Amino acid sequence: MAASGFEGSEKRLELHFSGDDPLGLRRLSFKALDCVLAAIQCTVVSAVGNACFDAYVLSESSLFLYPAKLVIKTCGTTGLLHSVPLLLGHASGLGLHLLRCKYTHGSFIFPRTQPPPHCSFNEEVAFLDSNLPASLRHRKARVLPSHSLRHKWHVYSASSTVDDPVEDDNPVTVEVCMTELDRTVAGRFFLCPENAGMSGHEAGQEMTRRASIAATAAPRAFICDFAFDPCGYSMNGLKADRYSTIHVTPEEEYSYASYECVVTNKSEIQSVLEKVNAVFRPGVMSVSVTGGHAGWIEIAGGLRCRSRAAEAFPGAGTVTFQTFAAVMDEWSA
């Protein structure tokens, strides 16, 4: 493992609001968003929207804006939590009131390079506790363990009510972190000589095609993709009111890919994960599911479950965390 490199593992923040404006957060101006993103050291590289939400590919991952919900995830050495007071200020100006917050991330590949308040989970929790309104009085922070000290799932939630949200208003969210990517797969996310002169959008479309992402990881979704120079890839998929997103850091010594999606039925999860596994063929896959415990997952195609953990969080419901490791003889077969 390299001593340092680009940190692919993302931090993820989800905020839910109440308000009467049918557009809500989607009224945020680009100037306001640019100010928030500048504070955490990233920028917008591509944007698209549909009737339900707006999706932004960032220089470090993605942002999704619904009328009463936002999801932002950033990688590298971004200071994601510095966005919280700014976002709450903008939301208040739109007449929105915060109902609940959920913050998650896996284990960082290069934890010593993270800026405050991301130097430790305790520091992150203290920052959130001091910046969220007192109305979110039900709070919980836990680190879900795995078979390895290198793979843990950090979860913080805060809610104005202790009850779980109604399931129809809180569909199932699947977060996947993958390391030790298959070398052939990782090579598809480097710019090729034939990509010379292409824009990031054009090269991103080529990477999407080479990796068969549209057919497997984002079927029937509208895809907004972007390739970075000399390597790296981001994609947002939009399908009605559901999103999916992929981010890839392909460098060999610290290769990493993430996949996230929202599903309507828990029965979809295993099929989705098997398709993602077929695209990336990771050595290790970590999976967290939020929105109801659908039972433990098994993934065919060369992965074996190594650990399982589950815990309930206020306003989020049950969060499960499983790790899987590749069975090499199955891959070689």
Side-chain angles (χ1 to χ4, degrees):
M1 177 66 69
S4 64
F6 185 80
E7 178 61 68
S9 185
E10 298 103 341
K11 315 165 187 81
R12 181 186 185 276
L13 176 69
E14 180 174 336
L15 301 175
H16 291 254
F17 298 86
S18 64
D20 298 325
D21 187 342
L23 286 179
L25 291 170
R26 300 184 74 181
R27 290 193 185 277
L28 283 174
S29 67
F30 189 82
K31 182 178 180 180
L33 288 178
D34 192 50
C35 179
V36 171
L37 296 175
I40 61 179
Q41 298 187 327
C42 65
T43 59
V44 173
V45 299
S46 188
V48 69
N50 64 14
C52 301
F53 67 100
D54 300 314
Y56 299 82
V57 175
L58 306 179
S59 55
E60 279 82 12
S61 299
S62 291
L63 165 67
F64 302 96
L65 283 181
Y66 291 79
K69 178 180 80 171
L70 72 83
V71 175
I72 180 170
K73 54 194 303 181
T74 62
C75 56
T77 55
T78 51
L80 176 59
L81 291 184
H82 289 297
S83 69
V84 171
L86 297 174
L87 288 168
L88 295 185
H90 288 304
S92 177
L94 295 171
L96 299 171
H97 305 282
L98 187 64
L99 295 177
R100 58 185 187 268
C101 165
K102 177 169 167 268
Y103 173 68
T104 58
H105 66 78
S107 296
F108 296 124
I109 302 172
F110 305 110
R112 294 182 180 179
T113 66
Q114 290 300 311
H118 301 288
C119 300
S120 72
F121 189 49
N122 286 340
E123 188 178 347
E124 292 175 318
V125 170
F127 185 93
L128 285 165
D129 279 342
S130 64
N131 281 277
L132 293 176
S135 58
L136 273 63
R137 61 188 182 277
H138 303 284
R139 305 183 181 193
K140 185 174 182 178
R142 290 290 187 274
V143 179
L144 302 186
S146 78
H147 71 289
S148 168
L149 294 176
R150 293 171 53 192
H151 302 284
K152 298 179 181 180
W153 195 244
H154 305 71
V155 185
Y156 174 96
S157 73
S159 177
S160 57
T161 64
V162 70
D163 297 329
D164 297 343
V166 178
E167 187 166 321
D168 288 344
D169 296 327
N170 187 50
V172 178
T173 302
V174 182
E175 300 174 65
V176 183
C177 303
M178 295 168 279
T179 56
E180 303 171 29
L181 306 183
D182 176 87
R183 290 187 182 183
T184 301
V185 169
R188 295 169 182 153
F189 298 98
F190 284 81
L191 291 180
C192 301
E194 54 266 32
N195 299 141
M198 285 187 178
S199 68
H201 298 90
E202 292 168 333
Q205 292 172 0
E206 176 63 17
M207 288 183 182
T208 297
R209 185 195 63 78
R210 287 203 310 252
S212 300
I213 285 172
T216 54
R220 298 181 299 281
F222 178 84
I223 292 178
C224 179
D225 35 23
F226 194 89
F228 297 90
D229 187 4
C231 63
Y233 170 86
S234 288
M235 178 281 279
N236 290 335
L238 296 78
K239 183 181 177 184
D241 62 344
R242 312 297 188 192
Y243 68 84
S244 58
T245 186
I246 293 172
H247 303 282
V248 184
T249 302
E251 291 91 336
E252 182 178 336
E253 292 188 340
Y254 43 94
S255 63
Y256 174 87
S258 68
Y259 173 80
E260 179 178 333
C261 71
V262 178
V263 298
T264 306
N265 300 311
K266 301 179 184 72
S267 59
E268 301 175 51
I269 296 174
Q270 181 169 331
S271 173
V272 167
L273 293 178
E274 289 176 356
K275 291 175 181 178
V276 171
N277 180 39
V279 169
F280 293 103
R281 297 179 58 165
V284 179
M285 176 187 285
S286 302
V287 180
S288 178
V289 178
T290 302
H293 193 350
W296 300 114
I297 302 162
E298 297 295 336
I299 304 175
L303 289 178
R304 181 175 297 164
C305 184
R306 297 293 303 276
S307 63
R308 300 170 175 173
E311 191 145 351
F313 290 85
T318 300
V319 176
T320 65
F321 178 59
Q322 291 181 249
T323 60
F324 301 82
V327 181
M328 300 311 297
D329 58 343
E330 291 189 36
W331 276 134
S332 60

